[in-house]
PDB file of all heavy atoms in Angstrom:
ATOM      1  N   HIS A  29    -190.107 114.106  48.767  1.00 91.00           N
ATOM      2  CA  HIS A  29    -191.211 113.264  48.308  1.00 91.00           C
ATOM      3  C   HIS A  29    -190.674 112.117  47.461  1.00 91.00           C
ATOM      4  O   HIS A  29    -189.799 112.313  46.614  1.00 91.00           O
ATOM      5  CB  HIS A  29    -192.210 114.098  47.503  1.00 91.00           C
ATOM      6  CG  HIS A  29    -193.013 115.039  48.347  1.00 91.00           C
ATOM      7  ND1 HIS A  29    -193.872 115.965  47.802  1.00 91.00           N
ATOM      8  CD2 HIS A  29    -193.122 115.181  49.694  1.00 91.00           C
ATOM      9  CE1 HIS A  29    -194.470 116.638  48.781  1.00 91.00           C
ATOM     10  NE2 HIS A  29    -194.013 116.188  49.928  1.00 91.00           N
ATOM     11  N   ARG A  30    -191.249 110.934  47.634  1.00 91.00           N
ATOM     12  CA  ARG A  30    -190.741 109.776  46.900  1.00 91.00           C
ATOM     13  C   ARG A  30    -191.700 109.327  45.808  1.00 91.00           C
ATOM     14  O   ARG A  30    -191.458 108.298  45.153  1.00 91.00           O
ATOM     15  CB  ARG A  30    -190.452 108.625  47.873  1.00 91.00           C
ATOM     16  CG  ARG A  30    -189.432 108.975  48.943  1.00 91.00           C
ATOM     17  CD  ARG A  30    -188.175 109.659  48.395  1.00 91.00           C
ATOM     18  NE  ARG A  30    -187.441 108.829  47.467  1.00 91.00           N
ATOM     19  CZ  ARG A  30    -186.468 107.991  47.829  1.00 91.00           C
ATOM     20  NH1 ARG A  30    -186.130 107.879  49.089  1.00 91.00           N
ATOM     21  NH2 ARG A  30    -185.835 107.286  46.911  1.00 91.00           N
ATOM     22  N   ALA A  31    -192.798 110.034  45.616  1.00 92.00           N
ATOM     23  CA  ALA A  31    -193.712 109.747  44.501  1.00 92.00           C
ATOM     24  C   ALA A  31    -193.830 111.008  43.649  1.00 92.00           C
ATOM     25  O   ALA A  31    -193.987 112.113  44.174  1.00 92.00           O
ATOM     26  CB  ALA A  31    -195.090 109.328  45.003  1.00 92.00           C
ATOM     27  N   MET A  32    -193.737 110.826  42.339  1.00 94.00           N
ATOM     28  CA  MET A  32    -193.847 111.947  41.410  1.00 94.00           C
ATOM     29  C   MET A  32    -194.750 111.552  40.259  1.00 94.00           C
ATOM     30  O   MET A  32    -194.841 110.381  39.897  1.00 94.00           O
ATOM     31  CB  MET A  32    -192.465 112.380  40.913  1.00 94.00           C
ATOM     32  CG  MET A  32    -191.583 112.907  42.058  1.00 94.00           C
ATOM     33  SD  MET A  32    -190.007 113.568  41.525  1.00 94.00           S
ATOM     34  CE  MET A  32    -190.497 115.178  40.861  1.00 94.00           C
ATOM     35  N   TYR A  33    -195.414 112.569  39.694  1.00 95.00           N
ATOM     36  CA  TYR A  33    -196.519 112.329  38.774  1.00 95.00           C
ATOM     37  C   TYR A  33    -196.452 113.278  37.582  1.00 95.00           C
ATOM     38  O   TYR A  33    -196.012 114.427  37.719  1.00 95.00           O
ATOM     39  CB  TYR A  33    -197.866 112.596  39.471  1.00 95.00           C
ATOM     40  CG  TYR A  33    -198.031 111.958  40.822  1.00 95.00           C
ATOM     41  CD1 TYR A  33    -197.431 112.514  41.951  1.00 95.00           C
ATOM     42  CD2 TYR A  33    -198.786 110.806  40.976  1.00 95.00           C
ATOM     43  CE1 TYR A  33    -197.574 111.917  43.195  1.00 95.00           C
ATOM     44  CE2 TYR A  33    -198.934 110.216  42.221  1.00 95.00           C
ATOM     45  CZ  TYR A  33    -198.324 110.783  43.326  1.00 95.00           C
ATOM     46  OH  TYR A  33    -198.482 110.197  44.565  1.00 95.00           O
ATOM     47  N   TRP A  34    -196.937 112.785  36.456  1.00 97.00           N
ATOM     48  CA  TRP A  34    -197.245 113.651  35.328  1.00 97.00           C
ATOM     49  C   TRP A  34    -198.745 113.588  35.062  1.00 97.00           C
ATOM     50  O   TRP A  34    -199.334 112.504  34.982  1.00 97.00           O
ATOM     51  CB  TRP A  34    -196.515 113.223  34.061  1.00 97.00           C
ATOM     52  CG  TRP A  34    -195.079 113.617  33.997  1.00 97.00           C
ATOM     53  CD1 TRP A  34    -193.992 112.795  34.004  1.00 97.00           C
ATOM     54  CD2 TRP A  34    -194.556 114.951  33.902  1.00 97.00           C
ATOM     55  NE1 TRP A  34    -192.837 113.529  33.939  1.00 97.00           N
ATOM     56  CE2 TRP A  34    -193.146 114.853  33.875  1.00 97.00           C
ATOM     57  CE3 TRP A  34    -195.127 116.225  33.842  1.00 97.00           C
ATOM     58  CZ2 TRP A  34    -192.314 115.965  33.788  1.00 97.00           C
ATOM     59  CZ3 TRP A  34    -194.298 117.335  33.754  1.00 97.00           C
ATOM     60  CH2 TRP A  34    -192.907 117.206  33.725  1.00 97.00           C
ATOM     61  N   TYR A  35    -199.332 114.784  34.927  1.00 97.00           N
ATOM     62  CA  TYR A  35    -200.733 114.928  34.547  1.00 97.00           C
ATOM     63  C   TYR A  35    -200.806 115.775  33.279  1.00 97.00           C
ATOM     64  O   TYR A  35    -199.999 116.677  33.071  1.00 97.00           O
ATOM     65  CB  TYR A  35    -201.542 115.637  35.631  1.00 97.00           C
ATOM     66  CG  TYR A  35    -201.956 114.781  36.795  1.00 97.00           C
ATOM     67  CD1 TYR A  35    -201.093 114.546  37.855  1.00 97.00           C
ATOM     68  CD2 TYR A  35    -203.220 114.211  36.837  1.00 97.00           C
ATOM     69  CE1 TYR A  35    -201.482 113.753  38.923  1.00 97.00           C
ATOM     70  CE2 TYR A  35    -203.631 113.423  37.905  1.00 97.00           C
ATOM     71  CZ  TYR A  35    -202.748 113.210  38.944  1.00 97.00           C
ATOM     72  OH  TYR A  35    -203.139 112.428  40.011  1.00 97.00           O
ATOM     73  N   LYS A  36    -201.835 115.508  32.485  1.00 97.00           N
ATOM     74  CA  LYS A  36    -202.125 116.298  31.292  1.00 97.00           C
ATOM     75  C   LYS A  36    -203.483 116.953  31.494  1.00 97.00           C
ATOM     76  O   LYS A  36    -204.443 116.295  31.926  1.00 97.00           O
ATOM     77  CB  LYS A  36    -202.170 115.385  30.056  1.00 97.00           C
ATOM     78  CG  LYS A  36    -202.647 116.052  28.782  1.00 97.00           C
ATOM     79  CD  LYS A  36    -202.692 115.040  27.647  1.00 97.00           C
ATOM     80  CE  LYS A  36    -203.229 115.647  26.370  1.00 97.00           C
ATOM     81  NZ  LYS A  36    -203.261 114.654  25.261  1.00 97.00           N
ATOM     82  N   GLN A  37    -203.557 118.251  31.189  1.00 96.00           N
ATOM     83  CA  GLN A  37    -204.824 118.946  31.354  1.00 96.00           C
ATOM     84  C   GLN A  37    -205.168 119.740  30.095  1.00 96.00           C
ATOM     85  O   GLN A  37    -204.453 120.668  29.717  1.00 96.00           O
ATOM     86  CB  GLN A  37    -204.797 119.886  32.559  1.00 96.00           C
ATOM     87  CG  GLN A  37    -206.156 120.500  32.859  1.00 96.00           C
ATOM     88  CD  GLN A  37    -206.152 121.401  34.069  1.00 96.00           C
ATOM     89  OE1 GLN A  37    -205.124 121.940  34.462  1.00 96.00           O
ATOM     90  NE2 GLN A  37    -207.318 121.569  34.686  1.00 96.00           N
ATOM     91  N   LYS A  38    -206.266 119.369  29.465  1.00 96.00           N
ATOM     92  CA  LYS A  38    -206.783 120.122  28.338  1.00 96.00           C
ATOM     93  C   LYS A  38    -207.676 121.241  28.882  1.00 96.00           C
ATOM     94  O   LYS A  38    -208.176 121.182  30.008  1.00 96.00           O
ATOM     95  CB  LYS A  38    -207.589 119.212  27.413  1.00 96.00           C
ATOM     96  CG  LYS A  38    -206.813 118.027  26.866  1.00 96.00           C
ATOM     97  CD  LYS A  38    -205.912 118.394  25.726  1.00 96.00           C
ATOM     98  CE  LYS A  38    -206.634 118.424  24.403  1.00 96.00           C
ATOM     99  NZ  LYS A  38    -205.696 118.684  23.282  1.00 96.00           N
ATOM    100  N   ALA A  39    -207.905 122.242  28.021  1.00 92.00           N
ATOM    101  CA  ALA A  39    -208.676 123.408  28.449  1.00 92.00           C
ATOM    102  C   ALA A  39    -210.064 123.003  28.944  1.00 92.00           C
ATOM    103  O   ALA A  39    -210.748 122.196  28.312  1.00 92.00           O
ATOM    104  CB  ALA A  39    -208.794 124.401  27.295  1.00 92.00           C
ATOM    105  N   LYS A  40    -210.443 123.568  30.066  1.00 90.00           N
ATOM    106  CA  LYS A  40    -211.772 123.362  30.666  1.00 90.00           C
ATOM    107  C   LYS A  40    -212.032 121.904  31.058  1.00 90.00           C
ATOM    108  O   LYS A  40    -213.193 121.485  31.170  1.00 90.00           O
ATOM    109  CB  LYS A  40    -212.871 123.855  29.734  1.00 90.00           C
ATOM    110  CG  LYS A  40    -212.752 125.339  29.376  1.00 90.00           C
ATOM    111  CD  LYS A  40    -213.945 125.813  28.601  1.00 90.00           C
ATOM    112  CE  LYS A  40    -213.753 127.208  28.041  1.00 90.00           C
ATOM    113  NZ  LYS A  40    -213.502 128.225  29.049  1.00 90.00           N
ATOM    114  N   LYS A  41    -210.973 121.122  31.250  1.00 94.00           N
ATOM    115  CA  LYS A  41    -211.115 119.731  31.663  1.00 94.00           C
ATOM    116  C   LYS A  41    -210.296 119.486  32.924  1.00 94.00           C
ATOM    117  O   LYS A  41    -209.393 120.263  33.244  1.00 94.00           O
ATOM    118  CB  LYS A  41    -210.594 118.795  30.549  1.00 94.00           C
ATOM    119  CG  LYS A  41    -211.396 118.867  29.271  1.00 94.00           C
ATOM    120  CD  LYS A  41    -212.782 118.279  29.446  1.00 94.00           C
ATOM    121  CE  LYS A  41    -213.515 118.213  28.125  1.00 94.00           C
ATOM    122  NZ  LYS A  41    -214.889 117.708  28.307  1.00 94.00           N
ATOM    123  N   PRO A  42    -210.595 118.410  33.648  1.00 95.00           N
ATOM    124  CA  PRO A  42    -209.769 118.095  34.819  1.00 95.00           C
ATOM    125  C   PRO A  42    -208.427 117.510  34.405  1.00 95.00           C
ATOM    126  O   PRO A  42    -208.293 116.983  33.286  1.00 95.00           O
ATOM    127  CB  PRO A  42    -210.609 117.055  35.562  1.00 95.00           C
ATOM    128  CG  PRO A  42    -211.454 116.423  34.516  1.00 95.00           C
ATOM    129  CD  PRO A  42    -211.740 117.491  33.507  1.00 95.00           C
ATOM    130  N   PRO A  43    -207.446 117.573  35.288  1.00 95.00           N
ATOM    131  CA  PRO A  43    -206.163 116.902  34.999  1.00 95.00           C
ATOM    132  C   PRO A  43    -206.375 115.389  34.863  1.00 95.00           C
ATOM    133  O   PRO A  43    -207.153 114.790  35.601  1.00 95.00           O
ATOM    134  CB  PRO A  43    -205.315 117.223  36.228  1.00 95.00           C
ATOM    135  CG  PRO A  43    -205.949 118.438  36.830  1.00 95.00           C
ATOM    136  CD  PRO A  43    -207.404 118.307  36.562  1.00 95.00           C
ATOM    137  N   GLU A  44    -205.651 114.806  33.911  1.00 95.00           N
ATOM    138  CA  GLU A  44    -205.696 113.358  33.704  1.00 95.00           C
ATOM    139  C   GLU A  44    -204.328 112.776  34.014  1.00 95.00           C
ATOM    140  O   GLU A  44    -203.313 113.226  33.481  1.00 95.00           O
ATOM    141  CB  GLU A  44    -206.062 113.036  32.250  1.00 95.00           C
ATOM    142  CG  GLU A  44    -207.463 113.453  31.857  1.00 95.00           C
ATOM    143  CD  GLU A  44    -207.750 113.116  30.404  1.00 95.00           C
ATOM    144  OE1 GLU A  44    -206.841 112.619  29.714  1.00 95.00           O
ATOM    145  OE2 GLU A  44    -208.878 113.366  29.954  1.00 95.00           O
ATOM    146  N   LEU A  45    -204.323 111.749  34.841  1.00 94.00           N
ATOM    147  CA  LEU A  45    -203.066 111.116  35.212  1.00 94.00           C
ATOM    148  C   LEU A  45    -202.431 110.433  34.011  1.00 94.00           C
ATOM    149  O   LEU A  45    -203.103 109.729  33.250  1.00 94.00           O
ATOM    150  CB  LEU A  45    -203.324 110.095  36.324  1.00 94.00           C
ATOM    151  CG  LEU A  45    -202.106 109.367  36.875  1.00 94.00           C
ATOM    152  CD1 LEU A  45    -201.156 110.343  37.565  1.00 94.00           C
ATOM    153  CD2 LEU A  45    -202.537 108.267  37.839  1.00 94.00           C
ATOM    154  N   MET A  46    -201.110 110.639  33.864  1.00 97.00           N
ATOM    155  CA  MET A  46    -200.353 109.957  32.803  1.00 97.00           C
ATOM    156  C   MET A  46    -199.443 108.894  33.414  1.00 97.00           C
ATOM    157  O   MET A  46    -199.522 107.729  33.048  1.00 97.00           O
ATOM    158  CB  MET A  46    -199.504 110.966  32.029  1.00 97.00           C
ATOM    159  CG  MET A  46    -200.287 112.076  31.358  1.00 97.00           C
ATOM    160  SD  MET A  46    -199.199 113.299  30.611  1.00 97.00           S
ATOM    161  CE  MET A  46    -198.540 112.395  29.206  1.00 97.00           C
ATOM    162  N   PHE A  47    -198.562 109.321  34.308  1.00 96.00           N
ATOM    163  CA  PHE A  47    -197.557 108.419  34.873  1.00 96.00           C
ATOM    164  C   PHE A  47    -197.389 108.692  36.367  1.00 96.00           C
ATOM    165  O   PHE A  47    -197.551 109.821  36.819  1.00 96.00           O
ATOM    166  CB  PHE A  47    -196.184 108.636  34.209  1.00 96.00           C
ATOM    167  CG  PHE A  47    -196.151 108.460  32.728  1.00 96.00           C
ATOM    168  CD1 PHE A  47    -196.097 109.560  31.885  1.00 96.00           C
ATOM    169  CD2 PHE A  47    -196.140 107.192  32.166  1.00 96.00           C
ATOM    170  CE1 PHE A  47    -196.056 109.412  30.506  1.00 96.00           C
ATOM    171  CE2 PHE A  47    -196.094 107.027  30.795  1.00 96.00           C
ATOM    172  CZ  PHE A  47    -196.059 108.135  29.956  1.00 96.00           C
ATOM    173  N   VAL A  48    -197.008 107.620  37.081  1.00 93.00           N
ATOM    174  CA  VAL A  48    -196.628 107.736  38.478  1.00 93.00           C
ATOM    175  C   VAL A  48    -195.294 107.036  38.671  1.00 93.00           C
ATOM    176  O   VAL A  48    -195.122 105.897  38.226  1.00 93.00           O
ATOM    177  CB  VAL A  48    -197.662 107.104  39.435  1.00 93.00           C
ATOM    178  CG1 VAL A  48    -197.197 107.267  40.892  1.00 93.00           C
ATOM    179  CG2 VAL A  48    -199.037 107.728  39.251  1.00 93.00           C
ATOM    180  N   TYR A  49    -194.379 107.722  39.333  1.00 94.00           N
ATOM    181  CA  TYR A  49    -193.123 107.110  39.766  1.00 94.00           C
ATOM    182  C   TYR A  49    -193.146 107.025  41.285  1.00 94.00           C
ATOM    183  O   TYR A  49    -193.488 107.986  41.971  1.00 94.00           O
ATOM    184  CB  TYR A  49    -191.918 107.953  39.322  1.00 94.00           C
ATOM    185  CG  TYR A  49    -191.419 107.597  37.951  1.00 94.00           C
ATOM    186  CD1 TYR A  49    -192.032 108.126  36.812  1.00 94.00           C
ATOM    187  CD2 TYR A  49    -190.340 106.735  37.781  1.00 94.00           C
ATOM    188  CE1 TYR A  49    -191.579 107.799  35.545  1.00 94.00           C
ATOM    189  CE2 TYR A  49    -189.881 106.397  36.519  1.00 94.00           C
ATOM    190  CZ  TYR A  49    -190.512 106.941  35.409  1.00 94.00           C
ATOM    191  OH  TYR A  49    -190.059 106.606  34.149  1.00 94.00           O
TER     192      TYR A  49
END
Side-chain angles (χ1 to χ4, degrees):
Chain A
H29 288 174
R30 301 313 298 270
M32 296 185 77
Y33 312 78
W34 282 114
Y35 280 83
K36 172 182 177 180
Q37 187 178 24
K38 302 281 276 185
K40 301 187 189 301
K41 296 291 186 183
E44 294 179 357
L45 182 64
M46 300 174 72
F47 302 104
V48 180
Y49 272 83

